[in-house]
mmCIF file of all heavy atoms in Angstrom:
data_model
loop_
_atom_site.group_PDB
_atom_site.id
_atom_site.type_symbol
_atom_site.label_atom_id
_atom_site.label_comp_id
_atom_site.label_asym_id
_atom_site.label_seq_id
_atom_site.Cartn_x
_atom_site.Cartn_y
_atom_site.Cartn_z
ATOM 1 N N PHE A 23 0.760 181.903 134.968
ATOM 2 C CA PHE A 23 -0.127 181.170 135.870
ATOM 3 C C PHE A 23 -1.501 180.959 135.230
ATOM 4 O O PHE A 23 -2.104 179.894 135.366
ATOM 5 C CB PHE A 23 -0.275 181.928 137.194
ATOM 6 C CG PHE A 23 0.820 181.650 138.183
ATOM 7 C CD1 PHE A 23 2.153 181.632 137.780
ATOM 8 C CD2 PHE A 23 0.545 181.429 139.513
ATOM 9 C CE1 PHE A 23 3.170 181.388 138.684
ATOM 10 C CE2 PHE A 23 1.547 181.165 140.428
ATOM 11 C CZ PHE A 23 2.872 181.153 140.010
ATOM 12 N N GLU A 24 -1.984 181.978 134.528
ATOM 13 C CA GLU A 24 -3.278 181.836 133.854
ATOM 14 C C GLU A 24 -3.201 180.763 132.771
ATOM 15 O O GLU A 24 -4.115 179.951 132.616
ATOM 16 C CB GLU A 24 -3.715 183.171 133.245
ATOM 17 C CG GLU A 24 -5.099 183.115 132.603
ATOM 18 C CD GLU A 24 -5.530 184.451 132.016
ATOM 19 O OE1 GLU A 24 -4.781 185.440 132.182
ATOM 20 O OE2 GLU A 24 -6.593 184.482 131.378
ATOM 21 N N ALA A 25 -2.081 180.741 132.041
ATOM 22 C CA ALA A 25 -1.896 179.715 131.011
ATOM 23 C C ALA A 25 -1.864 178.329 131.637
ATOM 24 O O ALA A 25 -2.479 177.378 131.128
ATOM 25 C CB ALA A 25 -0.611 179.980 130.234
ATOM 26 N N ALA A 26 -1.148 178.181 132.752
ATOM 27 C CA ALA A 26 -1.080 176.890 133.434
ATOM 28 C C ALA A 26 -2.455 176.443 133.906
ATOM 29 O O ALA A 26 -2.793 175.251 133.845
ATOM 30 C CB ALA A 26 -0.118 176.977 134.619
ATOM 31 N N TRP A 27 -3.266 177.391 134.367
ATOM 32 C CA TRP A 27 -4.617 177.042 134.824
ATOM 33 C C TRP A 27 -5.475 176.546 133.660
ATOM 34 O O TRP A 27 -6.166 175.534 133.773
ATOM 35 C CB TRP A 27 -5.271 178.245 135.483
ATOM 36 C CG TRP A 27 -6.680 177.981 135.900
ATOM 37 C CD1 TRP A 27 -7.830 178.366 135.269
ATOM 38 C CD2 TRP A 27 -7.100 177.249 137.061
ATOM 39 N NE1 TRP A 27 -8.924 177.921 135.952
ATOM 40 C CE2 TRP A 27 -8.510 177.235 137.055
ATOM 41 C CE3 TRP A 27 -6.410 176.600 138.097
ATOM 42 C CZ2 TRP A 27 -9.252 176.593 138.051
ATOM 43 C CZ3 TRP A 27 -7.153 175.971 139.086
ATOM 44 C CH2 TRP A 27 -8.555 175.967 139.052
ATOM 45 N N HIS A 28 -5.436 177.246 132.545
ATOM 46 C CA HIS A 28 -6.233 176.826 131.388
ATOM 47 C C HIS A 28 -5.764 175.471 130.851
ATOM 48 O O HIS A 28 -6.577 174.627 130.461
ATOM 49 C CB HIS A 28 -6.152 177.880 130.281
ATOM 50 C CG HIS A 28 -6.891 179.146 130.593
ATOM 51 N ND1 HIS A 28 -8.221 179.163 130.960
ATOM 52 C CD2 HIS A 28 -6.487 180.441 130.602
ATOM 53 C CE1 HIS A 28 -8.605 180.408 131.183
ATOM 54 N NE2 HIS A 28 -7.571 181.204 130.971
ATOM 55 N N VAL A 29 -4.456 175.266 130.817
ATOM 56 C CA VAL A 29 -3.911 174.029 130.269
ATOM 57 C C VAL A 29 -4.310 172.834 131.125
ATOM 58 O O VAL A 29 -4.630 171.757 130.609
ATOM 59 C CB VAL A 29 -2.370 174.125 130.159
ATOM 60 C CG1 VAL A 29 -1.757 172.760 129.891
ATOM 61 C CG2 VAL A 29 -1.993 175.087 129.045
ATOM 62 N N THR A 30 -4.308 173.010 132.450
ATOM 63 C CA THR A 30 -4.588 171.882 133.341
ATOM 64 C C THR A 30 -6.072 171.677 133.605
ATOM 65 O O THR A 30 -6.476 170.560 133.951
ATOM 66 C CB THR A 30 -3.874 172.075 134.694
ATOM 67 O OG1 THR A 30 -4.212 173.368 135.230
ATOM 68 C CG2 THR A 30 -2.375 171.987 134.513
ATOM 69 N N THR A 31 -6.890 172.697 133.453
ATOM 70 C CA THR A 31 -8.317 172.553 133.748
ATOM 71 C C THR A 31 -9.141 172.232 132.516
ATOM 72 O O THR A 31 -10.239 171.678 132.641
ATOM 73 C CB THR A 31 -8.873 173.828 134.412
ATOM 74 O OG1 THR A 31 -8.624 174.957 133.549
ATOM 75 C CG2 THR A 31 -8.227 174.058 135.760
ATOM 76 N N ALA A 32 -8.664 172.579 131.323
ATOM 77 C CA ALA A 32 -9.389 172.221 130.114
ATOM 78 C C ALA A 32 -9.349 170.709 129.931
ATOM 79 O O ALA A 32 -8.288 170.084 130.051
ATOM 80 C CB ALA A 32 -8.782 172.922 128.902
ATOM 81 N N LYS A 33 -10.485 170.100 129.655
ATOM 82 C CA LYS A 33 -10.577 168.646 129.600
ATOM 83 C C LYS A 33 -9.614 168.044 128.588
ATOM 84 O O LYS A 33 -8.960 167.035 128.869
ATOM 85 C CB LYS A 33 -12.010 168.238 129.246
ATOM 86 C CG LYS A 33 -12.206 166.731 129.175
ATOM 87 C CD LYS A 33 -13.638 166.376 128.842
ATOM 88 C CE LYS A 33 -13.821 164.861 128.755
ATOM 89 N NZ LYS A 33 -15.217 164.492 128.420
ATOM 90 N N ASN A 34 -9.512 168.642 127.423
ATOM 91 C CA ASN A 34 -8.653 168.116 126.362
ATOM 92 C C ASN A 34 -7.437 168.990 126.103
ATOM 93 O O ASN A 34 -6.807 168.870 125.053
ATOM 94 C CB ASN A 34 -9.456 167.949 125.075
ATOM 95 C CG ASN A 34 -10.552 166.918 125.203
ATOM 96 O OD1 ASN A 34 -10.322 165.854 125.764
ATOM 97 N ND2 ASN A 34 -11.741 167.241 124.714
ATOM 98 N N GLY A 35 -7.128 169.891 127.025
ATOM 99 C CA GLY A 35 -5.992 170.762 126.800
ATOM 100 C C GLY A 35 -6.335 171.906 125.866
ATOM 101 O O GLY A 35 -7.500 172.087 125.474
ATOM 102 N N MET A 36 -5.329 172.650 125.481
ATOM 103 C CA MET A 36 -5.540 173.809 124.616
ATOM 104 C C MET A 36 -4.455 173.860 123.559
ATOM 105 O O MET A 36 -3.293 173.584 123.842
ATOM 106 C CB MET A 36 -5.533 175.113 125.426
ATOM 107 C CG MET A 36 -6.567 175.178 126.518
ATOM 108 S SD MET A 36 -6.603 176.784 127.342
ATOM 109 C CE MET A 36 -7.422 177.787 126.102
ATOM 110 N N SER A 37 -4.855 174.229 122.365
ATOM 111 C CA SER A 37 -3.873 174.461 121.318
ATOM 112 C C SER A 37 -3.276 175.847 121.504
ATOM 113 O O SER A 37 -3.811 176.684 122.244
ATOM 114 C CB SER A 37 -4.532 174.365 119.938
ATOM 115 O OG SER A 37 -5.482 175.416 119.767
ATOM 116 N N ALA A 38 -2.168 176.111 120.836
ATOM 117 C CA ALA A 38 -1.517 177.416 120.957
ATOM 118 C C ALA A 38 -2.425 178.523 120.419
ATOM 119 O O ALA A 38 -2.447 179.632 120.950
ATOM 120 C CB ALA A 38 -0.190 177.404 120.218
ATOM 121 N N LYS A 39 -3.179 178.220 119.385
ATOM 122 C CA LYS A 39 -4.082 179.225 118.801
ATOM 123 C C LYS A 39 -5.196 179.584 119.772
ATOM 124 O O LYS A 39 -5.537 180.761 119.935
ATOM 125 C CB LYS A 39 -4.679 178.680 117.494
ATOM 126 C CG LYS A 39 -5.302 179.765 116.619
ATOM 127 C CD LYS A 39 -4.253 180.734 116.128
ATOM 128 C CE LYS A 39 -4.847 181.826 115.238
ATOM 129 N NZ LYS A 39 -3.827 182.793 114.804
ATOM 130 N N THR A 40 -5.744 178.583 120.446
ATOM 131 C CA THR A 40 -6.794 178.846 121.433
ATOM 132 C C THR A 40 -6.234 179.616 122.619
ATOM 133 O O THR A 40 -6.873 180.541 123.130
ATOM 134 C CB THR A 40 -7.414 177.526 121.919
ATOM 135 O OG1 THR A 40 -7.921 176.803 120.795
ATOM 136 C CG2 THR A 40 -8.548 177.784 122.890
ATOM 137 N N LEU A 41 -5.030 179.244 123.057
ATOM 138 C CA LEU A 41 -4.409 179.946 124.182
ATOM 139 C C LEU A 41 -4.079 181.383 123.804
ATOM 140 O O LEU A 41 -4.197 182.289 124.633
ATOM 141 C CB LEU A 41 -3.143 179.210 124.621
ATOM 142 C CG LEU A 41 -2.508 179.677 125.933
ATOM 143 C CD1 LEU A 41 -3.467 179.466 127.099
ATOM 144 C CD2 LEU A 41 -1.204 178.932 126.195
ATOM 145 N N GLU A 42 -3.696 181.608 122.566
ATOM 146 C CA GLU A 42 -3.427 182.967 122.085
ATOM 147 C C GLU A 42 -4.670 183.842 122.228
ATOM 148 O O GLU A 42 -4.603 184.977 122.730
ATOM 149 C CB GLU A 42 -2.985 182.923 120.623
ATOM 150 C CG GLU A 42 -2.871 184.286 119.966
ATOM 151 C CD GLU A 42 -2.846 184.212 118.442
ATOM 152 O OE1 GLU A 42 -2.931 183.091 117.901
ATOM 153 O OE2 GLU A 42 -2.754 185.282 117.805
ATOM 154 N N ARG A 43 -5.810 183.327 121.793
ATOM 155 C CA ARG A 43 -7.052 184.102 121.889
ATOM 156 C C ARG A 43 -7.492 184.277 123.337
ATOM 157 O O ARG A 43 -8.044 185.311 123.713
ATOM 158 C CB ARG A 43 -8.156 183.415 121.083
ATOM 159 C CG ARG A 43 -7.927 183.410 119.590
ATOM 160 C CD ARG A 43 -9.184 182.993 118.851
ATOM 161 N NE ARG A 43 -9.536 181.599 119.143
ATOM 162 C CZ ARG A 43 -9.206 180.586 118.365
ATOM 163 N NH1 ARG A 43 -8.510 180.791 117.256
ATOM 164 N NH2 ARG A 43 -9.571 179.351 118.688
ATOM 165 N N THR A 44 -7.248 183.275 124.165
ATOM 166 C CA THR A 44 -7.675 183.334 125.564
ATOM 167 C C THR A 44 -6.865 184.336 126.369
ATOM 168 O O THR A 44 -7.408 185.110 127.157
ATOM 169 C CB THR A 44 -7.561 181.938 126.219
ATOM 170 O OG1 THR A 44 -8.330 180.995 125.472
ATOM 171 C CG2 THR A 44 -8.056 181.975 127.654
ATOM 172 N N LEU A 45 -5.549 184.338 126.175
ATOM 173 C CA LEU A 45 -4.664 185.215 126.945
ATOM 174 C C LEU A 45 -4.499 186.595 126.333
ATOM 175 O O LEU A 45 -4.115 187.537 127.019
ATOM 176 C CB LEU A 45 -3.279 184.561 127.085
ATOM 177 C CG LEU A 45 -3.212 183.209 127.800
ATOM 178 C CD1 LEU A 45 -1.780 182.711 127.838
ATOM 179 C CD2 LEU A 45 -3.770 183.301 129.213
ATOM 180 N N GLY A 46 -4.744 186.696 125.026
ATOM 181 C CA GLY A 46 -4.529 187.979 124.352
ATOM 182 C C GLY A 46 -3.076 188.244 124.038
ATOM 183 O O GLY A 46 -2.681 189.404 123.849
ATOM 184 N N THR A 47 -2.259 187.198 123.956
ATOM 185 C CA THR A 47 -0.850 187.343 123.617
ATOM 186 C C THR A 47 -0.648 187.049 122.136
ATOM 187 O O THR A 47 -1.597 186.762 121.411
ATOM 188 C CB THR A 47 0.013 186.370 124.443
ATOM 189 O OG1 THR A 47 -0.360 185.017 124.113
ATOM 190 C CG2 THR A 47 -0.202 186.580 125.927
ATOM 191 N N SER A 48 0.586 187.110 121.690
ATOM 192 C CA SER A 48 0.890 186.709 120.319
ATOM 193 C C SER A 48 0.903 185.188 120.236
ATOM 194 O O SER A 48 1.026 184.490 121.247
ATOM 195 C CB SER A 48 2.244 187.268 119.884
ATOM 196 O OG SER A 48 3.294 186.676 120.626
ATOM 197 N N TYR A 49 0.816 184.676 119.019
ATOM 198 C CA TYR A 49 0.824 183.222 118.841
ATOM 199 C C TYR A 49 2.157 182.639 119.290
ATOM 200 O O TYR A 49 2.197 181.572 119.918
ATOM 201 C CB TYR A 49 0.569 182.871 117.375
ATOM 202 C CG TYR A 49 0.660 181.383 117.093
ATOM 203 C CD1 TYR A 49 -0.409 180.539 117.376
ATOM 204 C CD2 TYR A 49 1.832 180.819 116.572
ATOM 205 C CE1 TYR A 49 -0.328 179.167 117.143
ATOM 206 C CE2 TYR A 49 1.919 179.456 116.334
ATOM 207 C CZ TYR A 49 0.837 178.644 116.615
ATOM 208 O OH TYR A 49 0.924 177.297 116.389
ATOM 209 N N ARG A 50 3.249 183.323 118.982
ATOM 210 C CA ARG A 50 4.578 182.827 119.338
ATOM 211 C C ARG A 50 4.729 182.684 120.847
ATOM 212 O O ARG A 50 5.283 181.698 121.347
ATOM 213 C CB ARG A 50 5.656 183.752 118.775
ATOM 214 C CG ARG A 50 7.083 183.350 119.125
ATOM 215 C CD ARG A 50 7.466 182.028 118.488
ATOM 216 N NE ARG A 50 8.767 181.557 118.961
ATOM 217 C CZ ARG A 50 9.379 180.474 118.494
ATOM 218 N NH1 ARG A 50 8.811 179.754 117.552
ATOM 219 N NH2 ARG A 50 10.546 180.113 118.983
ATOM 220 N N VAL A 51 4.241 183.680 121.596
ATOM 221 C CA VAL A 51 4.331 183.624 123.057
ATOM 222 C C VAL A 51 3.507 182.455 123.597
ATOM 223 O O VAL A 51 3.965 181.692 124.442
ATOM 224 C CB VAL A 51 3.857 184.947 123.675
ATOM 225 C CG1 VAL A 51 3.693 184.810 125.187
ATOM 226 C CG2 VAL A 51 4.847 186.059 123.367
ATOM 227 N N ALA A 52 2.291 182.293 123.090
ATOM 228 C CA ALA A 52 1.428 181.204 123.550
ATOM 229 C C ALA A 52 2.043 179.844 123.217
ATOM 230 O O ALA A 52 2.043 178.929 124.048
ATOM 231 C CB ALA A 52 0.043 181.336 122.913
ATOM 232 N N TRP A 53 2.582 179.711 122.012
ATOM 233 C CA TRP A 53 3.176 178.440 121.594
ATOM 234 C C TRP A 53 4.397 178.094 122.439
ATOM 235 O O TRP A 53 4.564 176.959 122.877
ATOM 236 C CB TRP A 53 3.566 178.534 120.122
ATOM 237 C CG TRP A 53 4.142 177.274 119.553
ATOM 238 C CD1 TRP A 53 3.469 176.223 119.004
ATOM 239 C CD2 TRP A 53 5.536 176.918 119.483
ATOM 240 N NE1 TRP A 53 4.340 175.232 118.598
ATOM 241 C CE2 TRP A 53 5.610 175.632 118.882
ATOM 242 C CE3 TRP A 53 6.718 177.554 119.852
ATOM 243 C CZ2 TRP A 53 6.826 174.985 118.646
ATOM 244 C CZ3 TRP A 53 7.922 176.903 119.642
ATOM 245 C CH2 TRP A 53 7.972 175.637 119.034
ATOM 246 N N THR A 54 5.252 179.096 122.702
ATOM 247 C CA THR A 54 6.463 178.855 123.488
ATOM 248 C C THR A 54 6.116 178.493 124.930
ATOM 249 O O THR A 54 6.754 177.621 125.538
ATOM 250 C CB THR A 54 7.370 180.090 123.465
ATOM 251 O OG1 THR A 54 7.662 180.446 122.109
ATOM 252 C CG2 THR A 54 8.674 179.827 124.193
ATOM 253 N N MET A 55 5.110 179.154 125.488
ATOM 254 C CA MET A 55 4.693 178.834 126.852
ATOM 255 C C MET A 55 4.214 177.385 126.942
ATOM 256 O O MET A 55 4.558 176.656 127.883
ATOM 257 C CB MET A 55 3.581 179.786 127.299
ATOM 258 C CG MET A 55 4.039 181.220 127.493
ATOM 259 S SD MET A 55 2.670 182.360 127.780
ATOM 260 C CE MET A 55 2.164 181.885 129.401
ATOM 261 N N LEU A 56 3.435 176.959 125.960
ATOM 262 C CA LEU A 56 2.954 175.577 125.962
ATOM 263 C C LEU A 56 4.106 174.583 125.850
ATOM 264 O O LEU A 56 4.126 173.558 126.541
ATOM 265 C CB LEU A 56 1.971 175.369 124.800
ATOM 266 C CG LEU A 56 0.540 175.846 125.032
ATOM 267 C CD1 LEU A 56 -0.289 175.642 123.768
ATOM 268 C CD2 LEU A 56 -0.101 175.100 126.191
ATOM 269 N N GLN A 57 5.069 174.885 124.989
ATOM 270 C CA GLN A 57 6.207 173.978 124.826
ATOM 271 C C GLN A 57 7.020 173.885 126.109
ATOM 272 O O GLN A 57 7.498 172.798 126.485
ATOM 273 C CB GLN A 57 7.088 174.455 123.667
ATOM 274 C CG GLN A 57 6.442 174.362 122.296
ATOM 275 C CD GLN A 57 6.191 172.924 121.862
ATOM 276 O OE1 GLN A 57 6.667 171.981 122.471
ATOM 277 N NE2 GLN A 57 5.429 172.757 120.798
ATOM 278 N N ARG A 58 7.191 174.985 126.802
ATOM 279 C CA ARG A 58 7.949 174.952 128.064
ATOM 280 C C ARG A 58 7.186 174.173 129.131
ATOM 281 O O ARG A 58 7.790 173.414 129.904
ATOM 282 C CB ARG A 58 8.232 176.370 128.544
ATOM 283 C CG ARG A 58 9.213 177.138 127.664
ATOM 284 C CD ARG A 58 9.596 178.461 128.302
ATOM 285 N NE ARG A 58 10.481 179.242 127.438
ATOM 286 C CZ ARG A 58 11.054 180.385 127.807
ATOM 287 N NH1 ARG A 58 10.820 180.880 129.014
ATOM 288 N NH2 ARG A 58 11.847 181.035 126.981
ATOM 289 N N PHE A 59 5.885 174.356 129.181
ATOM 290 C CA PHE A 59 5.087 173.609 130.151
ATOM 291 C C PHE A 59 5.138 172.111 129.860
ATOM 292 O O PHE A 59 5.129 171.292 130.783
ATOM 293 C CB PHE A 59 3.637 174.093 130.144
ATOM 294 C CG PHE A 59 3.384 175.288 131.026
ATOM 295 C CD1 PHE A 59 2.657 176.377 130.566
ATOM 296 C CD2 PHE A 59 3.870 175.316 132.326
ATOM 297 C CE1 PHE A 59 2.433 177.478 131.375
ATOM 298 C CE2 PHE A 59 3.649 176.415 133.151
ATOM 299 C CZ PHE A 59 2.930 177.498 132.673
ATOM 300 N N ARG A 60 5.183 171.739 128.584
ATOM 301 C CA ARG A 60 5.259 170.314 128.246
ATOM 302 C C ARG A 60 6.566 169.702 128.730
ATOM 303 O O ARG A 60 6.598 168.541 129.136
ATOM 304 C CB ARG A 60 5.097 170.136 126.737
ATOM 305 C CG ARG A 60 3.662 170.377 126.260
ATOM 306 C CD ARG A 60 3.523 170.360 124.763
ATOM 307 N NE ARG A 60 2.150 170.653 124.380
ATOM 308 C CZ ARG A 60 1.785 171.525 123.448
ATOM 309 N NH1 ARG A 60 2.716 172.186 122.763
ATOM 310 N NH2 ARG A 60 0.518 171.728 123.176
#
């Protein structure tokens, strides 16, 4: 839910690397979450 909030509220979206730092997860988890949301 936090990832969905950041993805939809950020003006230009978020890259997987930025989401990784924001959520504190691994890069793979952040990247996979973004791909599923897409």
